Amino acid sequence: MENMNNQYVIGVIVSNISGVLSRVSGMFTRRGFNIDCLTVGETESSGFSRITVVFHGDDDIKDRIVRQLEKLHDVKEVEVLDPRETVIRELLLIKVRNTPATRQDIMTAVEIFRSKIVDYSPTALVCELTGETSKIDAFIELMKPYGVMEMCRTGMVAIERGENCLKTEIN
């Protein structure tokens, strides 16, 4: 029996031109697919951007999404990334209340999680943390009792281990 709760991470290389992200995300909307996470940024070649899309579904949904993405004009490469062969990370910036009573506990947590304090004021600390989603989630939960004032997450970015690469050049 197929598992409807599989999480898939897809790497997509697209032309770095106006409107491409809208067309890619619109393809998901038109077909009723839900995106858990979508990140985009320029690649090592300025003519291309890399989109990382994370979603849940079964193998049929994954295959349909890949086929639909491949049909889009400005999509150059689509690859389902194997989580065992992929480095997946997120970035978190979180602003936490800073009080003399809690400061040392927060700084200890920052050290244990290999985070860092990137802004300090008498009333707030901004911490930066990168890692897998579970690490980010655990740090947020740990910070809640101290007073999370604000936070933002990048969503997942993913790159294959070793020599495997998504191509950014058209042959």
Side-chain angles (χ1 to χ4, degrees):
M1 182 173 177
E2 292 183 25
N3 184 353
M4 289 291 293
N5 293 322
N6 287 336
Q7 182 182 62
Y8 295 99
V9 178
I10 295 182
V12 185
I13 300 295
V14 298
S15 298
N16 188 7
I17 59 173
S18 177
V20 173
L21 179 58
S22 177
R23 286 189 287 284
V24 169
S25 63
M27 184 280 300
F28 279 82
T29 303
R30 285 189 305 278
R31 286 162 181 77
F33 300 131
N34 187 47
I35 298 172
D36 294 335
C37 175
L38 184 140
T39 57
V40 62
E42 194 173 273
T43 68
E44 69 283 356
S45 175
S46 64
F48 299 96
S49 290
R50 182 182 178 120
I51 300 173
T52 303
V53 183
V54 181
F55 62 93
H56 280 83
D58 59 23
D59 285 341
D60 181 55
I61 289 172
K62 173 202 61 167
D63 293 341
R64 287 181 14 219
I65 287 172
V66 169
R67 282 194 307 271
Q68 293 299 319
L69 285 170
E70 290 173 338
K71 288 180 185 179
L72 295 176
H73 174 69
D74 293 310
V75 171
K76 306 304 178 191
E77 182 81 16
V78 178
E79 186 171 341
V80 178
L81 303 174
D82 180 344
R84 296 168 305 217
E85 298 297 325
T86 305
V87 177
I88 300 173
R89 295 290 184 269
E90 276 192 74
L91 167 68
L92 168 72
L93 293 175
I94 186 168
K95 187 182 297 181
V96 183
R97 269 190 217 298
N98 181 15
T99 68
T102 61
R103 184 174 303 128
Q104 190 55 52
D105 289 342
I106 294 169
M107 292 176 83
T108 299
V110 162
E111 184 178 323
I112 290 170
F113 276 79
R114 295 188 184 112
S115 176
K116 60 183 168 182
I117 296 172
V118 294
D119 186 63
Y120 180 96
S121 80
T123 58
L125 299 171
V126 176
C127 305
E128 174 186 305
L129 178 67
T130 59
E132 295 178 357
T133 300
S134 59
K135 179 181 177 182
I136 302 288
D137 291 341
F139 190 75
I140 292 168
E141 285 303 311
L142 189 61
M143 292 296 108
K144 283 182 179 178
Y146 302 113
V148 174
M149 301 168 68
E150 186 178 9
M151 68 177 214
C152 56
R153 296 170 81 155
T154 60
M156 292 182 202
V157 291
I159 195 165
E160 290 180 288
R161 297 179 188 279
E163 299 223 3
N164 292 336
C165 297
L166 284 173
K167 298 173 190 76
T168 58
E169 297 178 19
I170 301 172
N171 297 333

